[in-house]
Amino acid sequence: MDLQSLGWTPFFEAYFAPFREEGYGVGRVMVQHKDRYVLYSQKGELWAEVTGKFRHDAHGPQDFPAVGDWVVIKDRPGEDVVTIYAVLERKSKFSRKAAGAKTDEQVLAANVDVALLVSGLDHDFNLRRIERSLALAWDSGVKPVVVLNKVDLCANLDERIQEVESVARGTSVMSISAVQKRGLENLKSLLPTGTTGVLLGSSGVGKSTMANALLGTDKQEVKEVRIRDSQGRHTTVSRELLLLPSGGMIIDSPGIRELQLWGTGEGLTETFEDVEALAGQCRFNDCRHENEPDCAVKKALENGTLDESRWKSYLKLKREMHYLYLKQDQKAARIEKEKWKKLMRIPKLKNKNKFG
Ligand code: GDP
Ligand code: ZN
């Protein structure tokens, strides 16, 4: 396996360079299984574990490797398992609040290039949900594409596409039928060799059917990997980063399907550009859009140029973002400080050039 087709770019090379000099290797996380990982690497598929020191230095779940991460590794003499020393800087990430009341972040997928926001063109069609997933994608640093599936069940396609385009300004919208394999070439062209996509969308929209169509098979063997643990027992786990025969990769994991809001709020601005522009036209800078005179938002709601439900979903998202922001703030400052401390030290290796 060559690194380029696994998505290796100068971005990662820059962060890896000091490690390379010290004789470390690199791999990309295919799946996490309990406290172990399976990686793709130049040497094929490898089991990997983090060091005790890594565990000790971690501030929370967000510091551990996630599907799609590039990790710095080293062989263990006489063992099948390699050791993970560091996670390379992420180009993008999808995350959610970790379980429990804390606002710890859990990364569900890293280094994704394109988010395929899948919706069904059947009774499940929901503009508000599309809006929400767009905000999420922008926030993650990932380019979104809206994929309308089940075109075979849709009688008013043009109308639907228009509705979606009205909330997804500047985003491509494509329609396909995963079952009838219509529009698949367009889908594949979004994922050329070395790029990683993720399928997002609620249950039943056809993500598995799409994944199978892209893989050209629904055989379990393609998705499963068998590995031996330290006691010699075999375990079967499901691949979450999948290599497509057409070149690119997709991440299809259970966690990513239950995605919740997490981010900085920048995505909100991208998605609700029109709403924010309106709010900028109110007479008062600090207008709460309630009873203030010359409120552009109220006016637009009254004359129908701004949709009531669009306004409500904007307010709801904004409240959630604000809440998370307050919780995140303190923690972020501490993590940033530690991150720099950590970057300054790379452990030396005894046997160099193990990875050539
Ligand atoms: P997931 O939950 O998003 O992974 O959705 P699935 O791939 O399991 O699909 C849910 C249901 O929708 C299944 O019964 C599929 O056969 C059906 N389905 C998926 N894609 C299409 C499509 O393009 N057209 C039609 N008519 N049905 C589809
Ligand atoms: Zn106002």
Side-chain angles (χ1 to χ4, degrees):
M1 260 175 272
D2 74 293
L3 294 180
Q4 271 77 20
S5 56
L6 290 170
W8 188 253
T9 63
F11 175 90
F12 301 111
E13 182 60 43
Y15 284 97
F16 183 60
F19 290 104
R20 186 190 292 285
E21 271 174 28
E22 293 292 332
Y24 288 88
V26 74
R28 193 165 186 205
V29 178
M30 169 216 288
V31 59
Q32 177 193 355
H33 181 71
K34 299 192 181 135
D35 52 2
R36 283 189 165 193
Y37 304 85
V38 187
L39 315 175
Y40 292 112
S41 77
Q42 281 169 310
K43 293 183 171 179
E45 295 174 356
L46 302 170
W47 257 141
E49 283 174 358
V50 299
T51 59
K53 183 171 183 331
F54 186 109
R55 204 170 284 287
H56 178 263
D57 288 346
H59 293 283
Q62 75 279 0
D63 285 350
F64 282 85
V67 182
D69 262 328
W70 284 101
V71 291
V72 174
I73 54 174
K74 189 182 74 162
D75 279 345
R76 288 183 191 173
E79 282 191 55
D80 292 343
V81 180
V82 300
T83 302
I84 298 176
Y85 283 84
V87 175
L88 291 183
E89 187 74 15
R90 293 169 176 139
K91 200 165 59 176
S92 64
K93 65 182 173 182
F94 275 102
S95 34
R96 70 169 167 205
K97 288 171 276 182
K102 287 189 295 178
T103 52
D104 264 339
E105 176 188 11
Q106 186 186 1
V107 179
L108 298 171
N111 303 316
V112 175
D113 302 293
V114 49
L116 305 170
L117 310 178
V118 190
S119 280
L121 281 165
D122 46 9
H123 54 85
D124 172 74
F125 185 82
N126 183 332
L127 269 186
R128 300 282 86 84
R129 207 186 292 138
I130 294 176
E131 229 166 28
R132 201 182 160 83
S133 58
L134 273 166
L136 239 160
W138 287 119
D139 244 3
S140 314
V142 177
K143 181 182 95 169
V145 173
V146 178
V147 181
L148 303 174
N149 186 33
K150 309 194 187 182
V151 67
D152 54 294
L153 297 179
C154 184
N156 52 346
L157 182 61
D158 290 344
E159 198 182 310
R160 287 294 192 226
I161 289 181
Q162 252 175 32
E163 283 177 315
V164 174
E165 281 176 344
S166 75
V167 300
R169 266 158 272 248
T171 306
S172 339
V173 180
M174 62 172 66
S175 49
I176 68 159
S177 169
V179 155
Q180 298 187 341
K181 301 196 165 36
R182 275 159 64 187
L184 286 184
E185 288 312 311
N186 292 339
L187 211 55
K188 287 178 190 165
S189 70
L190 292 172
L191 299 167
T193 302
T195 56
T196 307
V198 68
L199 299 170
L200 298 177
S202 42
S203 171
V205 297
K207 297 182 301 296
S208 313
T209 315
M210 276 173 68
N212 290 337
L214 288 169
L215 285 164
T217 173
D218 58 0
K219 288 211 189 77
Q220 275 310 107
E221 300 94 83
V222 177
K223 292 182 193 151
E224 285 177 353
V225 54
R226 265 168 74 76
I227 346 192
R228 212 176 57 204
D229 67 16
S230 50
Q231 276 87 48
R233 284 181 306 237
H234 280 90
T235 322
T236 303
V237 291
S238 208
R239 287 184 170 83
E240 295 185 350
L241 176 66
L242 296 155
L243 304 170
L244 303 176
S246 52
M249 290 156 279
I250 48 166
I251 290 178
D252 183 22
S253 71
I256 203 107
R257 300 198 177 131
E258 306 143 26
L259 207 53
Q260 276 188 46
L261 201 62
W262 180 280
T264 58
E266 281 153 40
L268 193 70
T269 307
E270 300 268 4
T271 312
F272 290 98
E273 224 173 77
D274 55 329
V275 180
E276 302 228 310
L278 258 179
Q281 289 163 23
C282 297
R283 188 204 300 181
F284 299 107
N285 278 339
D286 59 349
C287 185
R288 282 167 301 137
H289 322 299
E290 282 162 12
N291 299 307
E292 290 86 346
D294 289 331
C295 169
V297 172
K298 272 201 77 179
K299 215 176 289 170
L301 284 170
E302 273 157 24
N303 66 26
T305 40
L306 174 61
D307 191 44
E308 177 88 37
S309 51
R310 184 164 167 79
W311 173 243
K312 283 204 177 121
S313 67
Y314 171 76
L315 289 179
K316 183 161 177 279
L317 272 165
K318 210 165 163 122
R319 271 197 304 274
E320 285 177 43
M321 293 274 190
H322 186 65
Y323 173 76
L324 282 172
Y325 174 74
L326 293 177
K327 291 273 196 173
Q328 246 175 306
D329 216 25
Q330 262 189 333
K331 189 163 179 169
R334 185 164 50 86
I335 290 172
E336 188 63 16
K337 209 172 104 197
E338 287 293 313
K339 190 168 118 191
W340 285 104
K341 259 165 71 185
K342 212 158 150 186
L343 265 176
M344 306 327 280
R345 37 166 218 259
I346 299 168
K348 295 264 187 249
L349 285 188
K350 286 198 193 83
N351 41 355
K352 278 197 174 195
N353 298 325
K354 271 244 143 155
F355 284 83

